[in-house]
Amino acid sequence: MKNTVVIGAQFGDEGKAKITDILAGEADFITRFQGGSNAGHTVVANGKKYAFHLIPSGILYENKVCMIGAGCVIKPDDLKNEIENIISQGIECAHFEKCLKISPLAHITMKYHTDIDGYSENNLKENKIGTTKKGIGPTYTDKYNRCGIRVEDLFNQETLSKKLDVILPKKNKELEFVYNLKPYSKEEILKECEEYRKILAPYVDFNWENNLLNTQKNKTILFEGAQGVMLDIDYGTYPYVTSSSPTAGGAAIGASMGIKSIERAVGVFKAYMTRVGEGAFITELTDEEGEKLRSIGGEFGVTTGRARRCGWFDAISAKYAVLVGGLTEIALTKLDVLDTFEEIKIATAYKNKLTGEIIKNYPTNVYTHQNYEPVYETHKGWMEDITGCKNYNDLPQNAKLYLKRLEELLGIKISIISVGPDREQTIFL
Ligand code: GDP
Ligand code: IMO
Ligand code: MG
């Protein structure tokens, strides 16, 4: 397999983890490059269902190196829970110590970051983003404001202490006077950092430069994205986005390997669309068809349990995601969820409700989205169970026509079709 990046191409939850888990079988090294435990990634393998948040989905295999890259943010107590959860499902503790590596350059989500995320969300009221309240935005804010704590800082008491003397007085002012929240003493923060140091110690890869150099020379690399292009900090439905870059370009930065290591970019699309949290969603269905997609698709968040908003496939935002996400091919998931729909719709344009103007390019200003309604083309459903299909030729004619039309609209090929959550329910083209 060529070195491959797998990213979400809609609003997250496209089924990236299922695709990563399958491709991980052919990779030696799997790395997450952005995001944190805001992600909720489901893998169904060996008859069991696993939920990952920060750990790369390749961890279920023997002898693969799974890296949490420099572009990620880590909430160590969440990571500890995640590891314990997977251990309780039968994976050995020693397996994590052998296979899981953490970049010393990744940033730490501190308690004050989750305090601020929770406060902001509760106080923005109708203007809230609908975040996962995992402290993601505040952690990345500090990173870019050059006052974050990195994994490596936990392992050097002297520099940690010096850093805190600069960071903490400022942070406490922000906590008290901007957010009306409890400040932290230096002792409290040092204690928190000590707990985090103990959690992360078995996994931190202090020899990362040499290890990555060797990996680049001899190994097959799989880059695992979280979230999706339409949640990207630059290209998504800003400000209703996450605070990192889930595009293929983001992988080059967040995995410490530059652009030369990436040879193929698989964008994962659901055969319809979903979104959790607030923000525009032009093809959202608020009627019983949306309810049907949610109940058949099991559309509830892995991280927060929130019901996902559902709608038809939006080829306008999808075409935009192909461009700005840097995609070279498509993995289409959850095609089976459409098995019982007599009619299936694809938005191929937007109509301005005020002026009647038809547009085919994605409008990046989300505040204008309320003015648009989707222009749909309607496809005949196939009305049969496709969950057992093993080959493209096993698919019903109407399903093939739907796939062909998506390829035509997006201008790149579908290379993987998923017809159920299991590893086996996958068709390669
Ligand atoms: P991710 O965040 O992109 O990895 O996706 P999530 O794990 O949040 O959500 C995808 C959900 O769809 C999970 O419950 C998967 O087990 C499930 N899933 C993935 N592919 C398929 C598929 O082709 N068909 C069905 N029915 N479910 C799928
Ligand atoms: P995976 O990797 C779906 C959404 C949140 C919110 C916005 C900002 O499973 O696809 P944040 O906590 O990141 O500051 O929230 O982004 N969001 C996701 N939606 N899947 C995810 O991850 C998400 N991670 C964040 O709901 O709207
Ligand atoms: Mg998810």
Side-chain angles (χ1 to χ4, degrees), residues 13-18 40-42 302 308 334 336 418-421:
D13 303 326
E14 300 88 349
K16 297 175 290 294
K18 167 177 169 168
H41 292 173
T42 318
V302 181
R308 295 173 181 154
K334 301 192 107 163
D336 55 298
S418 174
V419 294

Side-chain angles (χ1 to χ4, degrees), residues 48 55 121 179 184 194 205 209 213 239 255 268 383:
K48 284 187 189 157
I55 297 173
E121 279 296 293
Y179 297 109
Y184 287 86
E194 177 58 15
D205 185 11
E209 288 183 67
L213 266 175
V268 186
M383 301 300 284

Side-chain angles (χ1 to χ4, degrees), residues 107-248:
H107 277 248
I108 300 288
T109 296
M110 301 294 292
K111 286 200 183 98
Y112 50 72
H113 291 129
T114 38
D115 294 348
I116 293 173
D117 198 5
Y119 174 94
S120 302
E121 279 296 293
N122 295 337
N123 284 274
L124 281 169
K125 300 206 164 64
E126 71 278 4
N127 293 317
K128 70 175 192 230
I129 309 288
T131 75
T132 57
K133 297 189 182 173
K134 293 286 182 187
I136 303 297
T139 312
Y140 278 110
T141 301
D142 280 358
K143 165 175 166 166
Y144 287 103
N145 200 20
R146 296 161 291 188
C147 56
I149 296 175
R150 306 207 286 194
V151 170
E152 65 181 3
D153 296 326
L154 304 177
F155 294 83
N156 187 326
Q157 293 306 306
E158 203 184 319
T159 57
L160 178 64
S161 174
K162 274 191 196 153
K163 240 183 160 172
L164 287 177
D165 287 339
V166 179
I167 294 171
L168 201 55
K170 232 169 70 175
K171 187 54 71 183
N172 276 338
K173 276 201 186 124
E174 186 188 337
L175 287 166
E176 275 189 278
F177 301 118
V178 178
Y179 297 109
N180 203 17
L181 289 166
K182 180 181 87 59
Y184 287 86
S185 69
K186 189 172 173 190
E187 287 63 43
E188 281 176 303
I189 299 290
L190 283 170
K191 192 163 164 253
E192 187 185 346
C193 287
E194 177 58 15
E195 278 166 29
Y196 293 168
R197 189 187 64 75
K198 283 191 197 141
I199 294 172
L200 301 186
Y203 315 112
V204 181
D205 185 11
F206 287 107
N207 194 25
W208 65 275
E209 288 183 67
N210 285 335
N211 289 339
L212 289 187
L213 266 175
N214 288 334
T215 301
Q216 278 183 317
K217 275 186 210 135
N218 317 313
K219 310 277 188 202
T220 304
I221 306 163
L222 183 61
F223 302 83
E224 177 178 17
Q227 290 80 51
V229 175
M230 300 313 290
L231 291 174
D232 180 274
I233 186 73
D234 293 300
Y235 301 106
T237 51
Y238 192 87
Y240 299 94
V241 292
T242 192
S243 299
S244 64
S245 303
T247 56

Side-chain angles (χ1 to χ4, degrees), residues 278-379:
E278 309 304 314
F281 179 1
I282 292 182
T283 57
E284 180 173 11
L285 295 165
T286 50
D287 55 8
E288 59 288 2
E289 261 181 334
E291 191 50 55
K292 185 173 168 186
L293 283 171
R294 178 158 42 249
S295 89
I296 300 177
E299 298 297 356
F300 295 89
V302 181
T303 301
T304 58
R306 290 177 292 177
R308 295 173 181 154
R309 299 153 65 193
C310 297
W312 294 120
F313 192 95
D314 176 356
I316 297 301
S317 72
K319 208 171 58 167
Y320 169 81
V322 170
L323 175 71
V324 301
L327 304 180
T328 61
E329 59 194 84
I330 298 168
L332 194 83
T333 63
K334 301 192 107 163
L335 189 61
D336 55 298
V337 174
L338 302 180
D339 282 356
T340 59
F341 283 81
E342 277 178 17
E343 289 189 335
I344 298 163
K345 292 183 180 163
I346 305 175
T348 54
Y350 298 154
K351 180 178 172 190
N352 188 316
K353 289 183 272 184
L354 307 174
T355 64
E357 186 196 4
I358 301 284
I359 59 166
K360 292 203 165 188
N361 282 333
Y362 178 75
T364 51
N365 180 346
V366 282
Y367 295 99
T368 67
H369 284 200
Q370 62 191 10
N371 300 334
Y372 292 106
E373 62 187 18
V375 179
Y376 285 123
E377 63 178 36
T378 303
H379 290 251

